[in-house]
Amino acid sequence: MAEPLFDRIALIGIGLIGSSLARVIRRERLARRIAIATRSPETLERARALGLGDAYSLDAAEAVQDADLVIVSVPVGASGSVAEQIAGTLKPGAILTDAGSTKGSVIRAMAPFVPEGVHFIPGHPIAGTEHSGPDAGFAELFEQRWCILTPLPDTDPQALARLTNFWERCGSKVDIMDAEHHDMVLAIVSHLPHIIAYNIVGTADDLETVTKSEVIKYSASGFRDFTRLAASDPTMWRDVCLHNREAILEMLARFSEDLSALRRAIRWGDGEALFALFARTRDIRRSIIEAGQEVDAPDFGRHVVAHHPQTPQPEEG
Amino acid sequence: MAEPLFDRIALIGIGLIGSSLARVIRRERLARRIAIATRSPETLERARALGLGDAYSLDAAEAVQDADLVIVSVPVGASGSVAEQIAGTLKPGAILTDAGSTKGSVIRAMAPFVPEGVHFIPGHPIAGTEHSGPDAGFAELFEQRWCILTPLPDTDPQALARLTNFWERCGSKVDIMDAEHHDMVLAIVSHLPHIIAYNIVGTADDLETVTKSEVIKYSASGFRDFTRLAASDPTMWRDVCLHNREAILEMLARFSEDLSALRRAIRWGDGEALFALFARTRDIRRSIIEAGQEVDAPDFGRHVVAHHPQTPQPEEG
């Protein structure tokens, strides 16, 4: 059996990400001991009942003592206070990382508290579901998903290699980029989609001419695809909006500009412009499926039936 | 064995909807004969190769001769010309219906051509996938889905009952409403989601700061959920935009207004407003799942693993 990568790993926050990490660390024997900390007594009890770790604490400072790897998986708004709490008990030589959806703000919040001799390497596993909490996690969450690391200019290459190896053993593929670029990429691939999904579900909820029960009944015609993202954890997403503001506002401005052009094409009956936009977006989905980032089941596999592969026939859709 | 509901059914258009109808009509023995017409020779050959019907024609007028039920499943922009073509050969007493996504415009386009003695009852099965063409159809498409019928004021109740029975035998639940209300409901549950999905995929495609390959790589973080709708048939959706213009522009205006408020909350760091919106949208998804219109698998069941039901833990998402 392979030697564990780390003697002791501390998980600060034991929601979807933290509890999935606990499960894969155990399954792959990536550490001899797992220490778990969360500020919520109920969550901690649930983690204990699920047997996710070897030690449990409401005090993050206690949990990180003697840990070789500390992974902070809390809403990004809480990153700074966690760093402040654990600063005094972090072990020299330890690796400190996080799983936050924004990276520039996490670095600004955490870095000032990181003591000399601790390797702070911010990270972001691009994985998740719409569910939250320690019950929602599962060991396979990171399989075939990307994990982005955003090391600082003075990051120790050996520590970076060790953390990269850790994520690969969790099943992930690892990419390295700077924090600013990460925040721009995530603003378009993740933050904007969530914000738009929340917005459209809110718009539908407010209508007077169409009842909520009608929206629910007929949601299979498109609307329900948005409700998955709009069911995501509200605290996490509030924090993302507050902590990646500039990049999100930039993407929202572009989206709104494009939407105005589309509205204008609809108002003036410009069928050519509409067809041109609607035709070019098909390719992107095909590429996503080819890249292994999506399942190729029609309707997300909601209809569990055997049928033939697609033959595009635009004339008769 | 039950008596077939109709002696002869004609299917005009044999794409996703038409070919799914052909399959379920055959499986449930809802007709003695199925006549198929499409204006595309390639599509007609494909339908023949798949054995979807008993008679095949490029001429809709020929296909509807002697048919007791005629179902027009073409992009809504083609409804009027189909009605004009078949007007002379429709059998007295036949039921003529359609499967178009807009109803007001279909009535305006088709009704003037419908001869006295033919029962014209517009309809819309709320079912579909992102795939198109005769290969994409399957007999189970309509199961547990709603089909909306929008009869005209003078519709014969017996003909309406017969068509209702037909859709129920296809596995659908049938609702009756007027065309104007249908168009408003569908604008929010289907047309707006598709337009927004096309728009965001277009916005992402145009960025200079984030490459297309990055969008594809990291799409699992939210973006890919939109690409399913944005992979839908462009001709169909162009026609929907052109034919339900007023209702769509009304919904787009509301959506944009709400989005402006959300942008403002992000710009000014109004965490309370963001949390309030993000928290209230969760309920709608729960209701959709309870109504049987969505599967309760996290991440649309893309992760095929056993795990526990959700325990919401907003503090640690």
Side-chain angles (χ1 to χ4, degrees), chain A residues 13-15 38 43 75 126 130-135 138 140-141 145-146 148 175 177 181 185 188-190 193-194 196 198-209 214-235 237-238 241-242 245 249 252-256 258-259 262-263 266-267 269 271 274-275 278 280-282 284-285 287-288 291 293-294 297-300 302-303 305 309-311 313-317, chain B residues 13-15 38-39 43 75 126 130-135 138 140-141 145-146 175 177 181 185 188-190 193-194 196 198-209 214-235 237-238 241-242 245 249 252 254-256 258-259 262-263 266-267 269 271 274-275 278 280-282 284-285 287-288 291 293-294 297-300 302-303 305 309-311 313-317:
Chain A
I14 196 71
T38 166
T43 306
I126 314 294
E130 66 278 26
H131 293 177
S132 340
D135 286 275
F138 50 101
E140 299 80 3
L141 179 63
R145 298 277 86 92
W146 288 93
I148 298 176
D175 251 352
M177 63 178 72
H181 189 61
V185 172
I188 186 70
V189 299
S190 175
H194 279 82
I196 296 304
Y198 279 120
N199 194 68
I200 195 171
V201 175
T203 302
D205 198 28
D206 285 342
L207 292 175
E208 315 84 28
T209 46
E214 285 175 319
V215 170
I216 290 162
K217 267 170 93 169
Y218 307 124
S219 59
S221 53
F223 184 77
R224 65 175 176 181
D225 282 16
F226 290 69
T227 61
R228 189 183 81 80
L229 296 181
S232 302
D233 181 55
T235 306
W237 284 98
R238 178 201 61 197
C241 288
L242 298 176
R245 195 174 62 170
L249 288 174
L252 269 172
R254 284 167 173 267
F255 172 87
S256 297
D258 292 345
L259 192 62
L262 213 164
R263 272 170 82 173
I266 293 171
R267 187 177 301 280
L274 295 172
F275 186 86
F278 298 172
R280 78 178 164 119
T281 50
R282 261 192 172 176
I284 293 194
R285 183 165 179 84
S287 306
I288 290 173
Q293 296 298 311
E294 176 63 295
D299 203 19
F300 291 127
R302 286 166 177 135
H303 292 281
V305 289
Q310 171 193 18
T311 307
Q313 296 287 350
E315 300 83 11
E316 300 282 344
Chain B
I14 196 72
T38 166
R39 61 180 182 176
T43 306
I126 314 293
E130 66 277 25
H131 293 177
S132 341
D135 286 275
F138 49 102
E140 299 79 2
L141 179 63
R145 299 277 86 94
W146 289 93
D175 252 352
M177 63 179 71
H181 188 63
V185 172
I188 185 70
V189 298
S190 176
H194 278 82
I196 296 303
Y198 279 121
N199 194 67
I200 195 170
V201 175
T203 302
D205 199 27
D206 285 342
L207 292 175
E208 315 83 28
T209 47
E214 286 175 319
V215 170
I216 290 162
K217 268 170 93 168
Y218 307 123
S219 59
S221 53
F223 183 77
R224 64 175 175 179
D225 282 16
F226 290 70
T227 61
R228 190 184 81 81
L229 296 181
S232 301
D233 181 56
T235 304
W237 284 98
R238 177 200 62 197
C241 288
L242 298 176
R245 194 174 63 171
L249 287 174
L252 269 171
R254 285 168 173 267
F255 173 86
S256 297
D258 292 345
L259 192 63
L262 213 165
R263 273 170 83 171
I266 293 171
R267 188 175 301 280
L274 295 171
F275 186 87
F278 298 172
R280 78 178 163 118
T281 50
R282 261 192 171 176
I284 293 192
R285 182 163 179 85
S287 307
I288 290 173
Q293 295 299 310
E294 175 63 294
D299 203 20
F300 291 126
R302 287 167 177 134
H303 293 280
V305 289
Q310 171 192 19
T311 307
Q313 296 288 350
E315 300 83 11
E316 301 280 343

Side-chain angles (χ1 to χ4, degrees), chain A residues 82-97:
Chain A
V82 166
E84 191 173 4
Q85 282 167 57
I86 64 178
T89 50
L90 283 167
K91 181 175 147 182
I95 296 173
L96 170 64
T97 188

Side-chain angles (χ1 to χ4, degrees), chain B residues 87-103:
Chain B
T89 49
L90 282 167
K91 181 175 147 183
I95 296 173
L96 170 64
T97 188
D98 77 311
S101 305
T102 67
K103 296 273 63 78

Side-chain angles (χ1 to χ4, degrees), chain A:
Chain A
M1 194 180 307
E3 189 75 357
L5 283 176
F6 294 95
D7 189 51
R8 184 171 176 147
I9 294 180
L11 300 173
I12 314 302
I14 196 71
L16 172 66
I17 297 294
S19 73
S20 294
L21 281 169
R23 290 172 171 101
V24 68
I25 290 166
R26 182 67 55 96
R27 192 191 65 187
E28 298 297 317
R29 299 174 205 276
L30 303 180
R32 286 206 174 76
R33 279 175 66 78
I34 302 172
I36 289 172
T38 166
R39 61 180 181 175
S40 152
E42 294 74 29
T43 306
L44 194 68
E45 278 321 297
R46 193 64 204 141
R48 196 196 299 272
L50 291 166
L52 295 176
D54 303 294
Y56 302 89
S57 176
L58 290 169
D59 181 4
E62 183 182 79
V64 305
Q65 277 176 353
D66 304 317
D68 311 286
L69 173 63
V70 175
I71 308 177
V72 178
S73 319
V74 300
V76 290
S79 307
S81 67
V82 166
E84 191 173 4
Q85 282 167 57
I86 64 178
T89 50
L90 283 167
K91 181 175 147 182
I95 296 173
L96 170 64
T97 188
D98 78 309
S101 306
T102 67
K103 296 273 63 76
S105 76
V106 163
I107 293 172
R108 285 190 296 277
M110 293 183 75
F113 297 107
V114 179
E116 192 84 25
V118 168
H119 305 289
F120 175 44
I121 309 174
H124 180 201
I126 314 294
T129 76
E130 66 278 26
H131 293 177
S132 340
D135 286 275
F138 50 101
E140 299 80 3
L141 179 63
F142 308 106
E143 267 170 30
Q144 287 301 306
R145 298 277 86 92
W146 288 93
C147 179
I148 298 176
L149 301 179
T150 61
L152 305 174
D154 60 351
T155 295
D156 173 41
Q158 275 192 300
L160 181 60
R162 244 183 125 192
L163 186 60
T164 300
N165 189 14
F166 169 81
W167 279 110
E168 287 170 352
R169 296 276 295 272
C170 292
S172 290
K173 301 175 280 186
V174 175
D175 251 352
I176 311 279
M177 63 178 72
D178 66 57
E180 196 188 354
H181 189 61
H182 166 279
D183 289 354
M184 192 61 85
V185 172
L186 270 288
I188 186 70
V189 299
S190 175
H191 306 169
L192 186 63
H194 279 82
I195 288 165
I196 296 304
Y198 279 120
N199 194 68
I200 195 171
V201 175
T203 302
D205 198 28
D206 285 342
L207 292 175
E208 315 84 28
T209 46
V210 178
T211 67
K212 196 162 165 176
S213 84
E214 285 175 319
V215 170
I216 290 162
K217 267 170 93 169
Y218 307 124
S219 59
S221 53
F223 184 77
R224 65 175 176 181
D225 282 16
F226 290 69
T227 61
R228 189 183 81 80
L229 296 181
S232 302
D233 181 55
T235 306
M236 168 177 164
W237 284 98
R238 178 201 61 197
D239 281 7
V240 167
C241 288
L242 298 176
H243 289 85
N244 196 21
R245 195 174 62 170
E246 296 312 317
I248 288 173
L249 288 174
E250 160 74 15
M251 294 305 167
L252 269 172
R254 284 167 173 267
F255 172 87
S256 297
E257 232 174 78
D258 292 345
L259 192 62
S260 295
L262 213 164
R263 272 170 82 173
R264 196 166 184 279
I266 293 171
R267 187 177 301 280
W268 293 97
D270 186 349
E272 274 179 50
L274 295 172
F275 186 86
L277 170 63
F278 298 172
R280 78 178 164 119
T281 50
R282 261 192 172 176
D283 293 342
I284 293 194
R285 183 165 179 84
R286 209 167 295 136
S287 306
I288 290 173
I289 291 167
E290 282 163 16
Q293 296 298 311
E294 176 63 295
V295 292
D296 190 16
D299 203 19
F300 291 127
R302 286 166 177 135
H303 292 281
V304 184
V305 289
H307 57 94
H308 303 280
Q310 171 193 18
T311 307
Q313 296 287 350
E315 300 83 11
E316 300 282 344

